[in-house]
């Protein structure tokens, strides 16, 4: 009887230790959200646009929309427009304007790449949607796949985006999380 009680106590102790060991490896929604938000701060998801810079010629009829876009950005302080030349064609209602377009210091956080005649700018950021819950699919105790909704947050350079026919204002993205004993849950891939 004494051996049976000792055996029962040792079995319960082993089960208790095994149960406590797995508690740190359990992935809950708040941990997954924190891991993905940290990843998105270091590696943001965005859409980019290209914008012409330098001396650009605009025809008053054909390029009116593009000139209005530049003027909108100038009003908000993102670019500076300097009229270099203005010509009226002989016996025509169409005029040609030459502007020198330069990005201002205010636009520096959005510049991804720039050369003399063109700049690549971040126009649309994707951030985690707090209203939509994340979906977790656990593979085993150390690997999980998490699907999140990222909502679109356009900035002023989004006027250069071409309409790609996306009807929604969010995208869904899946990430693979892995548990490591020394660092906890980490993101290992998309």
């Amino acid at each position: 009887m004494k051996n049976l009680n000792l055996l029962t106590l040792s079995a319960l102790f082993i089960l208790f230790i095994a149960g406590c060991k797995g508690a740190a490896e359990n992935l809950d929604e708040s941990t997954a959200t924190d891991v993905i938000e940290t990843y998105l701060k270091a590696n943001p998801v965005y859409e980019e646009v290209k914008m012409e810079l330098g001396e650009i010629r605009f025809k008053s009829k054909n390029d009116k929309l593009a000139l209005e876009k530049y003027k909108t950005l100038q009003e908000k302080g993102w670019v500076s427009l300097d009229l270099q030349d203005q010509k009226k064609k002989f016996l025509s209602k169409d005029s040609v304007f030459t502007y020198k377009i330069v990005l201002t210091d205010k636009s520096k956080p959005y510049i991804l790449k720039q050369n003399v005649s063109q700049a690549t700018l971040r126009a649309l950021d994707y951030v985690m949607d707090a209203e939509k819950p994340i979906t977790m699919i656990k593979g085993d105790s150390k690997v999980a796949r998490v699907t999140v909704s990222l909502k679109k947050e356009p900035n002023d350079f989004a006027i250069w985006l071409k309409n790609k026919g996306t009807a929604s204002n969010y995208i869904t993205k899946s990430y693979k999380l892995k548990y490591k004993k020394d660092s906890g849950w980490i993101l290992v891939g998309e």
Side-chain angles (χ1 to χ4, degrees):
M1 186 77 171
K2 194 174 182 184
N3 284 338
L4 184 61
N5 284 340
L6 188 58
L7 184 64
T8 304
L9 280 174
S10 63
L12 285 174
F13 181 72
I14 290 173
L15 286 174
F16 177 74
I17 296 296
C20 289
K21 180 188 143 232
E25 295 176 6
N26 287 338
L27 179 66
D28 60 348
E29 193 171 312
S30 65
T31 305
T33 302
D34 291 343
V35 169
I36 293 172
E37 282 179 345
T38 304
Y39 176 78
L40 287 175
K41 284 179 185 173
N43 306 303
V45 179
Y46 55 84
E47 285 188 33
E48 56 188 47
V49 292
K50 292 187 178 184
M51 188 172 83
E52 300 295 321
L53 298 175
E55 285 194 15
I56 301 176
R57 293 178 49 172
F58 295 99
K59 293 182 181 177
S60 61
K61 287 184 180 178
N62 297 343
D63 301 323
K64 186 176 184 177
L65 184 62
L67 184 57
E68 287 177 8
K69 289 179 182 180
Y70 281 110
K71 286 185 177 180
T72 302
L73 291 174
Q74 180 188 22
E75 289 170 5
K76 295 181 180 181
W78 298 109
V79 297
S80 66
L81 290 174
D82 295 324
L83 183 62
Q84 301 289 314
D85 191 23
Q86 179 178 356
K87 292 180 184 176
K88 177 150 175 78
K89 291 184 177 178
F90 184 67
L91 296 175
S92 174
K93 294 180 182 178
D94 200 12
S95 298
V96 177
F97 303 98
T98 303
Y99 282 95
K100 181 168 176 91
I101 301 171
V102 179
L103 290 170
T104 62
D105 289 339
K106 183 180 176 182
S107 62
K108 281 183 181 178
Y110 298 100
I111 298 173
L112 301 172
K113 188 170 52 172
Q114 180 180 3
N115 60 29
V116 176
S117 64
Q118 195 175 54
T120 304
L121 303 158
R122 200 173 72 223
L124 191 67
D125 293 320
Y126 289 100
V127 294
M128 280 193 64
D129 192 356
E131 297 172 2
K132 297 191 180 192
I134 64 173
T135 307
M136 292 190 293
I137 303 168
K138 280 194 109 171
D140 59 17
S141 64
K142 296 189 184 218
V143 177
R145 187 161 273 315
V146 178
T147 303
V148 296
S149 291
L150 302 174
K151 67 179 178 177
K152 295 179 181 179
E153 283 191 356
N155 59 38
D156 290 330
F157 293 110
I159 59 175
W160 293 105
L161 279 173
K162 292 179 176 56
N163 187 6
K164 296 179 181 176
T166 56
S168 66
N169 60 350
Y170 69 93
I171 60 170
T172 55
K173 202 157 176 118
S174 293
Y175 296 99
K176 185 177 178 182
L177 301 176
K178 190 172 186 177
Y179 182 78
K180 299 216 175 186
K181 288 184 180 180
D182 56 339
S183 58
W185 286 97
I186 60 169
L187 196 137
V188 292
E190 294 184 21

